Amino acid sequence: QVQLVESGGGLVQPGGSLRLSCAASGSIFSISAMAWYRQAPGNQRELVAGVTSGGSTNYADSVKGRFTISRDNAKNTVYLQMNSLKPEDTAVYYCNVDFTVVVGTVRHQFGSWGQGTQVTVSS
């Protein structure tokens, strides 16, 4: 069983910063892509940023230049550094991890979501 535990959300003023963390634990053989999504009330869940196992990153246009995604493979953890936060960044942020587990001699690939962490940007 694999678990994702998120932390780092909270209330911050416009222009402030927050750092989100998402740690994966369990019987993981390997992790490929890791990503952050967000969902604001009344909106669909959208991709914020992603990072591959090789370190390539991609960002939503709305966060380019303000957010930075990174990963620590030794800790099975992905981070999202959020700077210059705006009220429109307010949402529940979810991490998503693609991983492989081995059962016997067979590798199985799965995707899993974190529980979500609230980010509120308001004065």
Coordinates of all heavy atoms in Angstrom, one line a residue, residues 23-120:
A23 N 5.0 13.6 0.5 CA 5.9 12.4 0.7 C 5.2 11.1 0.4 O 4.1 10.9 0.9 CB 6.5 12.4 2.1
A24 N 5.8 10.3 -0.4 CA 5.2 9.0 -0.7 C 5.9 7.9 0.1 O 7.1 7.9 0.3 CB 5.4 8.7 -2.2
S25 N 5.1 7.0 0.6 CA 5.7 5.9 1.4 C 5.0 4.6 1.1 O 3.8 4.6 0.6 CB 5.6 6.2 2.9 OG 4.2 6.4 3.3
G26 N 5.6 3.5 1.4 CA 5.0 2.2 1.1 C 5.9 1.4 0.3 O 7.1 1.6 0.1
S27 N 5.4 0.3 -0.3 CA 6.2 -0.6 -1.1 C 6.4 -0.2 -2.5 O 5.8 -0.7 -3.5 CB 5.5 -2.0 -1.1 OG 5.3 -2.5 0.3
I28 N 7.2 0.9 -2.6 CA 7.4 1.5 -3.9 C 8.7 1.0 -4.5 O 9.7 1.0 -3.9 CB 7.5 3.0 -3.8 CG1 6.1 3.6 -3.2 CG2 7.8 3.7 -5.1 CD1 6.2 5.1 -2.9
F29 N 8.6 0.5 -5.8 CA 9.8 0.1 -6.5 C 10.4 1.3 -7.1 O 11.6 1.4 -7.0 CB 9.4 -1.0 -7.5 CG 10.6 -1.4 -8.4 CD1 11.5 -2.3 -7.9 CD2 10.7 -0.9 -9.7 CE1 12.6 -2.6 -8.7 CE2 11.7 -1.3 -10.5 CZ 12.7 -2.2 -10.0
S30 N 9.6 2.1 -7.8 CA 10.2 3.3 -8.4 C 9.0 4.3 -8.6 O 7.9 3.9 -8.6 CB 10.8 3.0 -9.8 OG 9.9 2.5 -10.7
I31 N 9.4 5.6 -8.8 CA 8.5 6.6 -9.0 C 8.9 7.3 -10.3 O 10.1 7.6 -10.5 CB 8.5 7.7 -7.9 CG1 7.9 7.0 -6.6 CG2 7.6 8.9 -8.3 CD1 7.9 8.0 -5.4
S32 N 7.9 7.5 -11.2 CA 8.2 8.2 -12.5 C 7.8 9.7 -12.3 O 8.4 10.4 -11.6 CB 7.5 7.5 -13.6 OG 6.2 7.3 -13.4
A33 N 6.7 10.0 -12.9 CA 6.2 11.4 -12.9 C 5.6 11.8 -11.5 O 5.0 11.0 -10.8 CB 5.2 11.7 -14.0
M34 N 5.9 13.0 -11.1 CA 5.2 13.6 -9.9 C 4.7 15.0 -10.3 O 5.3 15.7 -11.1 CB 6.3 13.8 -8.8 CG 7.0 12.5 -8.5 SD 8.2 12.7 -7.1 CE 7.2 12.4 -5.7
A35 N 3.5 15.3 -9.7 CA 2.9 16.6 -10.2 C 2.1 17.2 -9.1 O 1.7 16.5 -8.1 CB 2.0 16.3 -11.4
W36 N 1.8 18.4 -9.3 CA 0.8 19.1 -8.4 C -0.4 19.6 -9.2 O -0.2 20.2 -10.3 CB 1.5 20.3 -7.7 CG 2.4 20.0 -6.6 CD1 3.8 19.8 -6.8 CD2 2.1 19.7 -5.3 NE1 4.3 19.4 -5.6 CE2 3.3 19.4 -4.6 CE3 0.9 19.6 -4.5 CZ2 3.4 19.0 -3.3 CZ3 1.0 19.3 -3.2 CH2 2.2 19.0 -2.6
Y37 N -1.6 19.4 -8.7 CA -2.8 19.9 -9.3 C -3.5 20.8 -8.3 O -3.1 20.8 -7.1 CB -3.7 18.8 -9.7 CG -3.3 17.9 -10.8 CD1 -2.2 17.0 -10.7 CD2 -4.0 18.0 -12.1 CE1 -1.8 16.3 -11.8 CE2 -3.6 17.2 -13.1 CZ -2.5 16.4 -13.0 OH -2.2 15.6 -14.1
R38 N -4.4 21.6 -8.7 CA -5.2 22.4 -7.8 C -6.7 22.4 -8.3 O -6.9 22.3 -9.5 CB -4.7 23.8 -7.6 CG -4.8 24.7 -8.9 CD -4.0 26.0 -8.6 NE -4.1 26.9 -9.8 CZ -3.4 28.0 -9.9 NH1 -2.6 28.4 -8.8 NH2 -3.5 28.8 -10.9
Q39 N -7.5 22.6 -7.3 CA -9.0 22.7 -7.6 C -9.6 23.8 -6.8 O -9.6 23.7 -5.5 CB -9.7 21.4 -7.4 CG -11.1 21.4 -7.9 CD -11.7 20.0 -7.9 OE1 -11.2 19.1 -7.3 NE2 -12.8 19.8 -8.7
A40 N -10.1 24.9 -7.4 CA -10.8 25.9 -6.7 C -12.3 25.6 -6.8 O -12.8 24.9 -7.6 CB -10.5 27.3 -7.4
P41 N -13.1 26.1 -5.8 CA -14.5 25.9 -5.8 C -15.2 26.2 -7.1 O -15.0 27.3 -7.7 CB -15.0 26.8 -4.7 CG -13.8 27.0 -3.8 CD -12.6 27.0 -4.7
G42 N -15.9 25.3 -7.6 CA -16.7 25.5 -8.9 C -15.8 25.3 -10.1 O -16.4 25.4 -11.2
N43 N -14.6 25.0 -9.9 CA -13.7 24.7 -11.1 C -13.2 23.3 -11.2 O -13.3 22.5 -10.2 CB -12.4 25.6 -11.0 CG -12.7 27.1 -11.2 OD1 -13.9 27.4 -11.5 ND2 -11.7 27.9 -11.0
Q44 N -12.8 22.9 -12.4 CA -12.2 21.6 -12.5 C -10.8 21.5 -12.0 O -10.1 22.6 -11.9 CB -12.2 21.2 -14.0 CG -13.6 20.9 -14.6 CD -13.5 20.4 -16.0 OE1 -12.5 20.7 -16.7 NE2 -14.5 19.7 -16.4
R45 N -10.3 20.3 -11.6 CA -9.0 20.2 -11.2 C -8.0 20.5 -12.3 O -8.2 20.0 -13.5 CB -8.7 18.8 -10.6 CG -7.4 18.6 -9.9 CD -7.4 17.2 -9.2 NE -8.4 17.1 -8.2 CZ -8.5 16.1 -7.3 NH1 -7.6 15.1 -7.3 NH2 -9.5 16.0 -6.4
E46 N -7.0 21.2 -12.1 CA -6.1 21.6 -13.2 C -4.6 21.3 -12.8 O -4.3 21.4 -11.6 CB -6.2 23.1 -13.5 CG -5.8 24.0 -12.4 CD -5.9 25.5 -12.8 OE1 -6.2 25.8 -14.0 OE2 -5.6 26.4 -12.0
L47 N -3.8 21.0 -13.8 CA -2.4 20.8 -13.6 C -1.7 22.1 -13.3 O -1.9 23.1 -14.0 CB -1.8 20.1 -14.8 CG -0.3 19.9 -14.7 CD1 0.1 18.9 -13.7 CD2 0.3 19.5 -16.1
V48 N -0.9 22.1 -12.2 CA -0.1 23.3 -11.9 C 1.3 23.1 -12.4 O 1.9 24.0 -13.0 CB -0.1 23.5 -10.3 CG1 0.8 24.7 -10.0 CG2 -1.5 23.8 -9.8
A49 N 1.9 22.0 -12.0 CA 3.3 21.7 -12.4 C 3.6 20.2 -12.3 O 3.0 19.5 -11.5 CB 4.3 22.5 -11.5
G50 N 4.5 19.8 -13.2 CA 4.9 18.4 -13.2 C 6.4 18.2 -13.3 O 7.1 19.1 -13.8
V51 N 6.9 17.1 -12.8 CA 8.4 16.8 -13.0 C 8.6 15.4 -13.2 O 7.9 14.5 -12.6 CB 9.2 17.3 -11.7 CG1 8.7 16.6 -10.4 CG2 10.7 17.1 -11.9
T52 N 9.4 15.1 -14.2 CA 9.6 13.7 -14.6 C 10.7 13.1 -13.7 O 11.4 13.8 -13.0 CB 10.0 13.6 -16.1 OG1 11.3 14.2 -16.2 CG2 9.0 14.3 -17.0
S53 N 11.0 11.8 -13.9 CA 12.0 11.1 -13.1 C 13.4 11.7 -13.5 O 14.3 11.7 -12.7 CB 12.0 9.6 -13.4 OG 12.1 9.3 -14.8
G54 N 13.5 12.2 -14.8 CA 14.7 12.8 -15.2 C 14.9 14.2 -14.8 O 16.0 14.8 -15.1
G55 N 13.9 14.8 -14.2 CA 14.0 16.2 -13.8 C 13.4 17.2 -14.7 O 13.5 18.4 -14.4
S56 N 12.9 16.8 -15.8 CA 12.2 17.8 -16.7 C 10.9 18.3 -16.0 O 10.2 17.5 -15.4 CB 11.9 17.1 -18.0 OG 13.1 16.7 -18.7
T57 N 10.7 19.6 -16.2 CA 9.5 20.2 -15.6 C 8.6 20.9 -16.6 O 9.1 21.3 -17.7 CB 10.0 21.2 -14.5 OG1 10.7 22.3 -15.2 CG2 10.8 20.6 -13.4
N58 N 7.4 21.0 -16.2 CA 6.4 21.8 -17.0 C 5.5 22.5 -16.0 O 5.2 22.0 -14.9 CB 5.7 20.9 -18.0 CG 4.8 19.9 -17.3 OD1 5.2 18.9 -16.7 ND2 3.5 20.1 -17.3
Y59 N 5.0 23.7 -16.5 CA 4.2 24.5 -15.6 C 2.9 25.0 -16.4 O 3.0 25.3 -17.6 CB 5.0 25.7 -15.1 CG 6.1 25.4 -14.2 CD1 7.4 25.2 -14.8 CD2 6.0 25.2 -12.9 CE1 8.5 24.8 -14.0 CE2 7.0 24.9 -12.1 CZ 8.3 24.7 -12.6 OH 9.4 24.4 -11.8
A60 N 1.9 25.3 -15.6 CA 0.7 26.0 -16.2 C 1.2 27.4 -16.5 O 2.0 28.0 -15.7 CB -0.4 26.0 -15.2
D61 N 0.7 28.0 -17.5 CA 1.1 29.4 -17.9 C 0.8 30.3 -16.7 O 1.6 31.3 -16.5 CB 0.3 29.8 -19.1 CG 0.8 29.2 -20.4 OD1 1.9 28.6 -20.4 OD2 0.0 29.2 -21.4
S62 N -0.2 30.1 -15.9 CA -0.6 31.0 -14.9 C 0.4 31.1 -13.7 O 0.3 32.0 -12.9 CB -2.0 30.7 -14.3 OG -2.0 29.3 -13.8
V63 N 1.3 30.1 -13.6 CA 2.2 30.0 -12.5 C 3.7 30.1 -12.9 O 4.6 30.2 -12.1 CB 2.0 28.7 -11.7 CG1 0.6 28.6 -11.2 CG2 2.5 27.5 -12.4
K64 N 3.9 30.2 -14.2 CA 5.3 30.2 -14.7 C 6.0 31.5 -14.2 O 5.4 32.6 -14.2 CB 5.3 30.3 -16.2 CG 5.1 28.9 -16.9 CD 5.1 29.0 -18.4 CE 4.9 27.7 -19.1 NZ 4.9 27.8 -20.5
G65 N 7.2 31.3 -13.7 CA 8.0 32.3 -13.1 C 7.7 32.6 -11.7 O 8.4 33.4 -11.0
R66 N 6.6 32.0 -11.1 CA 6.3 32.2 -9.7 C 6.4 30.9 -8.9 O 6.8 31.0 -7.7 CB 4.9 32.7 -9.6 CG 4.6 34.0 -10.3 CD 3.2 34.6 -9.9 NE 2.2 33.7 -10.4 CZ 1.2 33.2 -9.6 NH1 1.3 33.5 -8.3 NH2 0.3 32.4 -10.1
F67 N 6.1 29.8 -9.5 CA 6.1 28.5 -8.8 C 7.3 27.7 -9.3 O 7.7 27.7 -10.5 CB 4.9 27.7 -9.1 CG 3.6 28.3 -8.4 CD1 3.6 29.5 -7.8 CD2 2.4 27.5 -8.4 CE1 2.5 30.0 -7.2 CE2 1.3 28.0 -7.8 CZ 1.3 29.3 -7.2
T68 N 7.9 26.8 -8.4 CA 8.9 25.9 -8.8 C 8.7 24.6 -8.2 O 8.5 24.4 -7.0 CB 10.3 26.4 -8.3 OG1 10.6 27.7 -8.8 CG2 11.4 25.5 -8.7
I69 N 8.6 23.5 -9.1 CA 8.5 22.2 -8.6 C 9.8 21.5 -8.6 O 10.7 21.7 -9.4 CB 7.5 21.4 -9.6 CG1 7.2 20.0 -8.9 CG2 8.1 21.2 -11.0 CD1 6.0 19.3 -9.7
S70 N 10.0 20.7 -7.5 CA 11.3 19.9 -7.4 C 11.0 18.6 -6.7 O 9.9 18.4 -6.2 CB 12.3 20.7 -6.6 OG 11.9 21.0 -5.3
R71 N 11.9 17.7 -6.8 CA 11.7 16.4 -6.2 C 13.0 15.9 -5.5 O 14.1 16.3 -6.0 CB 11.2 15.4 -7.2 CG 12.1 15.1 -8.3 CD 11.5 14.3 -9.4 NE 11.3 12.9 -9.0 CZ 10.6 12.0 -9.7 NH1 9.9 12.4 -10.8 NH2 10.6 10.7 -9.3
D72 N 12.9 15.1 -4.5 CA 14.0 14.5 -3.8 C 13.8 13.0 -3.9 O 12.9 12.4 -3.2 CB 14.1 14.9 -2.3 CG 15.3 14.4 -1.6 OD1 15.8 13.3 -2.0 OD2 15.7 15.0 -0.6
N73 N 14.5 12.4 -4.8 CA 14.2 11.0 -5.1 C 14.6 10.1 -3.9 O 14.0 9.0 -3.7 CB 15.0 10.5 -6.4 CG 14.4 11.2 -7.6 OD1 13.2 11.4 -7.7 ND2 15.3 11.5 -8.6
A74 N 15.6 10.5 -3.1 CA 16.0 9.7 -2.0 C 14.9 9.6 -0.9 O 14.8 8.7 -0.2 CB 17.2 10.2 -1.4
K75 N 14.1 10.7 -0.9 CA 13.0 10.8 0.1 C 11.6 10.5 -0.5 O 10.6 10.6 0.2 CB 13.0 12.2 0.7 CG 14.3 12.5 1.5 CD 14.2 13.9 2.2 CE 15.4 14.2 3.0 NZ 15.4 15.5 3.6
N76 N 11.6 10.2 -1.8 CA 10.3 10.0 -2.5 C 9.3 11.2 -2.2 O 8.1 11.0 -2.0 CB 9.6 8.7 -2.1 CG 10.3 7.5 -2.6 OD1 11.0 7.6 -3.6 ND2 10.0 6.4 -2.1
T77 N 9.9 12.4 -2.4 CA 9.1 13.6 -2.0 C 9.2 14.6 -3.2 O 10.2 14.8 -3.8 CB 9.7 14.3 -0.7 OG1 9.6 13.3 0.3 CG2 8.9 15.5 -0.4
V78 N 8.0 15.2 -3.4 CA 7.9 16.3 -4.4 C 7.5 17.6 -3.6 O 6.7 17.6 -2.7 CB 6.9 16.0 -5.5 CG1 5.5 15.8 -4.9 CG2 6.9 17.0 -6.6
Y79 N 8.1 18.7 -4.1 CA 7.9 20.0 -3.5 C 7.3 21.0 -4.5 O 7.5 20.8 -5.7 CB 9.2 20.6 -2.9 CG 9.9 19.7 -2.0 CD1 10.9 18.9 -2.4 CD2 9.6 19.7 -0.6 CE1 11.6 18.1 -1.6 CE2 10.3 18.8 0.2 CZ 11.3 18.0 -0.2 OH 12.0 17.2 0.6
L80 N 6.6 22.0 -4.0 CA 6.1 23.1 -4.8 C 6.4 24.4 -4.0 O 5.7 24.6 -3.0 CB 4.6 22.9 -5.1 CG 4.1 24.0 -6.1 CD1 4.7 23.8 -7.5 CD2 2.6 24.0 -6.2
Q81 N 7.4 25.1 -4.5 CA 7.6 26.4 -3.9 C 6.8 27.4 -4.7 O 6.9 27.6 -5.9 CB 9.1 26.7 -4.1 CG 9.5 28.1 -3.6 CD 9.4 28.2 -2.1 OE1 9.7 27.3 -1.3 NE2 8.8 29.3 -1.6
M82 N 6.0 28.1 -3.9 CA 5.0 29.1 -4.5 C 5.4 30.5 -4.0 O 5.3 30.8 -2.8 CB 3.6 28.8 -4.1 CG 3.2 27.3 -4.5 SD 1.5 27.0 -4.2 CE 1.5 27.0 -2.4
N83 N 5.8 31.4 -4.9 CA 6.2 32.7 -4.6 C 5.2 33.7 -5.3 O 4.5 33.3 -6.2 CB 7.6 33.0 -5.0 CG 8.6 32.2 -4.4 OD1 8.4 31.8 -3.2 ND2 9.7 31.9 -5.1
S84 N 5.2 34.9 -4.8 CA 4.3 36.0 -5.4 C 2.9 35.5 -5.5 O 2.3 35.6 -6.6 CB 4.9 36.4 -6.8 OG 6.2 36.9 -6.7
L85 N 2.4 34.9 -4.5 CA 1.1 34.3 -4.5 C 0.0 35.4 -4.8 O 0.1 36.5 -4.3 CB 0.8 33.6 -3.2 CG 1.5 32.2 -3.2 CD1 1.6 31.7 -1.8 CD2 0.7 31.2 -4.1
K86 N -1.0 35.0 -5.5 CA -2.2 35.9 -5.8 C -3.5 35.3 -5.3 O -3.5 34.0 -5.1 CB -2.3 36.0 -7.4 CG -1.0 36.5 -8.0 CD -1.2 36.5 -9.6 CE 0.1 36.9 -10.3 NZ -0.1 36.9 -11.8
P87 N -4.5 36.1 -5.1 CA -5.8 35.5 -4.6 C -6.3 34.4 -5.5 O -6.9 33.5 -5.0 CB -6.7 36.8 -4.6 CG -5.8 37.9 -4.4 CD -4.5 37.6 -5.1
E88 N -6.0 34.5 -6.8 CA -6.5 33.5 -7.7 C -5.8 32.2 -7.6 O -6.1 31.2 -8.3 CB -6.5 34.0 -9.2 CG -5.1 34.6 -9.6 CD -5.1 36.1 -9.5 OE1 -5.6 36.6 -8.5 OE2 -4.6 36.7 -10.4
D89 N -4.7 32.1 -6.8 CA -4.0 30.9 -6.5 C -4.8 30.1 -5.4 O -4.4 28.9 -5.2 CB -2.6 31.1 -6.1 CG -1.7 31.7 -7.2 OD1 -1.9 31.2 -8.4 OD2 -1.0 32.6 -6.9
T90 N -5.8 30.7 -4.8 CA -6.5 30.0 -3.8 C -7.2 28.8 -4.3 O -7.9 28.8 -5.3 CB -7.5 31.0 -3.2 OG1 -6.9 32.1 -2.5 CG2 -8.4 30.2 -2.1
A91 N -6.9 27.6 -3.6 CA -7.4 26.3 -4.1 C -7.0 25.3 -3.1 O -6.1 25.5 -2.3 CB -7.0 26.0 -5.5
V92 N -7.5 24.1 -3.3 CA -7.0 22.9 -2.7 C -6.0 22.3 -3.6 O -6.2 22.1 -4.8 CB -8.1 21.8 -2.4 CG1 -7.4 20.6 -1.7 CG2 -9.1 22.4 -1.4
Y93 N -4.8 22.1 -3.1 CA -3.7 21.6 -3.9 C -3.5 20.1 -3.7 O -3.4 19.7 -2.5 CB -2.4 22.3 -3.6 CG -2.4 23.7 -4.3 CD1 -3.2 24.7 -3.8 CD2 -1.5 24.0 -5.3 CE1 -3.2 26.0 -4.4 CE2 -1.5 25.2 -5.9 CZ -2.4 26.2 -5.5 OH -2.4 27.5 -6.1
Y94 N -3.4 19.3 -4.7 CA -3.2 17.9 -4.6 C -1.9 17.4 -5.3 O -1.6 17.9 -6.4 CB -4.4 17.1 -5.3 CG -5.7 17.4 -4.8 CD1 -6.5 18.5 -5.2 CD2 -6.3 16.6 -3.8 CE1 -7.8 18.7 -4.7 CE2 -7.5 16.9 -3.3 CZ -8.3 17.9 -3.7 OH -9.5 18.2 -3.2
C95 N -1.2 16.5 -4.7 CA -0.1 15.9 -5.4 C -0.5 14.6 -6.1 O -1.5 14.0 -5.7 CB 1.1 15.6 -4.5 SG 0.8 14.4 -3.2
N96 N 0.1 14.3 -7.2 CA -0.2 13.1 -7.9 C 1.1 12.4 -8.3 O 2.1 13.1 -8.8 CB -0.9 13.4 -9.2 CG -1.3 12.2 -10.0 OD1 -0.5 11.8 -10.9 ND2 -2.4 11.6 -9.8
V97 N 1.2 11.1 -8.0 CA 2.5 10.4 -8.2 C 2.2 9.1 -9.0 O 1.3 8.4 -8.7 CB 3.1 10.0 -6.8 CG1 4.3 9.2 -7.0 CG2 3.5 11.3 -6.1
D98 N 3.0 8.9 -10.0 CA 3.0 7.7 -10.8 C 4.1 6.8 -10.3 O 5.2 7.2 -10.3 CB 3.2 8.0 -12.3 CG 2.0 8.7 -12.9 OD1 0.9 8.6 -12.4 OD2 2.2 9.4 -13.9
F99 N 3.8 5.6 -9.9 CA 4.8 4.7 -9.3 C 4.6 3.3 -9.7 O 3.6 2.9 -10.3 CB 4.7 4.8 -7.7 CG 3.4 4.4 -7.2 CD1 3.1 3.1 -6.8 CD2 2.3 5.3 -7.0 CE1 1.9 2.7 -6.2 CE2 1.1 5.0 -6.5 CZ 0.9 3.7 -6.1
T100 N 5.6 2.5 -9.5 CA 5.7 1.1 -9.8 C 5.9 0.3 -8.5 O 6.7 0.6 -7.7 CB 6.8 0.8 -10.8 OG1 6.6 1.5 -12.0 CG2 6.8 -0.7 -11.2
V101 N 5.1 -0.8 -8.4 CA 5.3 -1.8 -7.3 C 5.6 -3.1 -8.0 O 5.2 -3.4 -9.1 CB 4.1 -1.9 -6.4 CG1 3.8 -0.5 -5.7 CG2 2.9 -2.3 -7.2
V102 N 6.3 -4.0 -7.2 CA 6.6 -5.3 -7.7 C 5.9 -6.3 -6.9 O 6.0 -6.3 -5.7 CB 8.1 -5.5 -7.7 CG1 8.4 -7.0 -8.2 CG2 8.8 -4.5 -8.6
V103 N 5.1 -7.2 -7.6 CA 4.4 -8.3 -6.9 C 5.0 -9.6 -7.5 O 4.7 -9.9 -8.7 CB 2.9 -8.2 -7.1 CG1 2.2 -9.3 -6.4 CG2 2.4 -6.8 -6.6
G104 N 5.7 -10.3 -6.7 CA 6.4 -11.5 -7.2 C 7.4 -11.0 -8.2 O 8.4 -10.3 -7.8
T105 N 7.3 -11.4 -9.5 CA 8.2 -10.9 -10.5 C 7.5 -10.0 -11.5 O 8.1 -9.6 -12.5 CB 8.7 -12.2 -11.3 OG1 7.6 -12.8 -11.9 CG2 9.4 -13.1 -10.4
V106 N 6.3 -9.5 -11.2 CA 5.6 -8.7 -12.1 C 5.6 -7.2 -11.5 O 5.3 -7.0 -10.4 CB 4.1 -9.2 -12.2 CG1 3.4 -8.3 -13.2 CG2 4.1 -10.6 -12.7
R107 N 5.9 -6.3 -12.5 CA 5.8 -4.9 -12.1 C 4.4 -4.3 -12.5 O 3.9 -4.6 -13.5 CB 6.9 -4.1 -12.8 CG 8.3 -4.5 -12.5 CD 9.3 -3.7 -13.2 NE 10.7 -4.1 -12.9 CZ 11.8 -3.5 -13.4 NH1 11.7 -2.4 -14.1 NH2 13.0 -4.0 -13.1
H108 N 3.8 -3.5 -11.5 CA 2.5 -2.9 -11.7 C 2.7 -1.4 -11.6 O 3.4 -1.0 -10.6 CB 1.5 -3.5 -10.7 CG 1.3 -4.9 -10.8 ND1 0.4 -5.5 -11.6 CD2 1.9 -5.9 -10.1 CE1 0.4 -6.8 -11.4 NE2 1.3 -7.1 -10.6
Q109 N 2.1 -0.7 -12.5 CA 2.1 0.8 -12.4 C 0.8 1.3 -12.0 O -0.3 0.9 -12.4 CB 2.5 1.3 -13.8 CG 3.9 0.9 -14.3 CD 4.2 1.5 -15.6 OE1 3.4 1.7 -16.5 NE2 5.5 1.8 -15.9
F110 N 0.9 2.3 -11.1 CA -0.3 3.0 -10.5 C -0.1 4.5 -10.5 O 1.0 5.0 -10.5 CB -0.5 2.5 -9.1 CG -0.8 1.0 -9.0 CD1 0.2 0.1 -8.7 CD2 -2.1 0.5 -9.1 CE1 0.0 -1.3 -8.6 CE2 -2.4 -0.8 -9.0 CZ -1.3 -1.7 -8.8
G111 N -1.2 5.2 -10.3 CA -1.2 6.6 -10.0 C -1.9 6.8 -8.7 O -2.9 6.1 -8.5
S112 N -1.5 7.7 -7.9 CA -2.1 8.0 -6.6 C -2.2 9.5 -6.3 O -1.3 10.2 -6.8 CB -1.4 7.3 -5.5 OG -2.1 7.4 -4.3
W113 N -3.2 9.9 -5.6 CA -3.5 11.3 -5.2 C -3.2 11.4 -3.7 O -3.6 10.6 -2.9 CB -4.9 11.7 -5.6 CG -5.2 11.8 -7.0 CD1 -5.8 10.8 -7.8 CD2 -5.0 12.9 -7.9 NE1 -5.9 11.2 -9.1 CE2 -5.5 12.5 -9.2 CE3 -4.5 14.2 -7.7 CZ2 -5.4 13.4 -10.2 CZ3 -4.5 15.0 -8.8 CH2 -4.9 14.6 -10.0
G114 N -2.7 12.6 -3.4 CA -2.7 13.0 -2.0 C -4.0 13.4 -1.5 O -5.0 13.5 -2.3
Q115 N -4.1 13.7 -0.2 CA -5.4 14.1 0.4 C -5.8 15.5 0.1 O -7.0 15.9 0.3 CB -5.3 13.8 1.9 CG -4.7 14.9 2.7 CD -3.2 14.9 2.7 OE1 -2.6 14.1 2.0 NE2 -2.6 15.7 3.6
G116 N -4.9 16.3 -0.4 CA -5.2 17.7 -0.6 C -4.8 18.6 0.5 O -5.0 18.2 1.7
T117 N -4.3 19.8 0.2 CA -4.0 20.8 1.2 C -4.5 22.1 0.8 O -4.3 22.5 -0.4 CB -2.5 20.8 1.5 OG1 -2.2 21.7 2.6 CG2 -1.7 21.3 0.3
Q118 N -5.2 22.9 1.7 CA -5.8 24.1 1.3 C -4.7 25.2 1.3 O -4.0 25.4 2.3 CB -6.9 24.5 2.3 CG -7.6 25.8 2.1 CD -8.4 25.8 0.8 OE1 -9.2 24.9 0.6 NE2 -8.3 26.9 0.0
V119 N -4.8 26.0 0.2 CA -4.0 27.2 0.1 C -4.9 28.4 -0.1 O -5.7 28.4 -1.0 CB -3.0 27.1 -1.1 CG1 -2.3 28.5 -1.3 CG2 -1.9 26.1 -0.8
T120 N -4.9 29.4 0.8 CA -5.7 30.5 0.7 C -4.9 31.8 0.7 O -4.0 32.0 1.6 CB -6.7 30.6 1.9 OG1 -7.5 29.4 2.0 CG2 -7.6 31.8 1.8

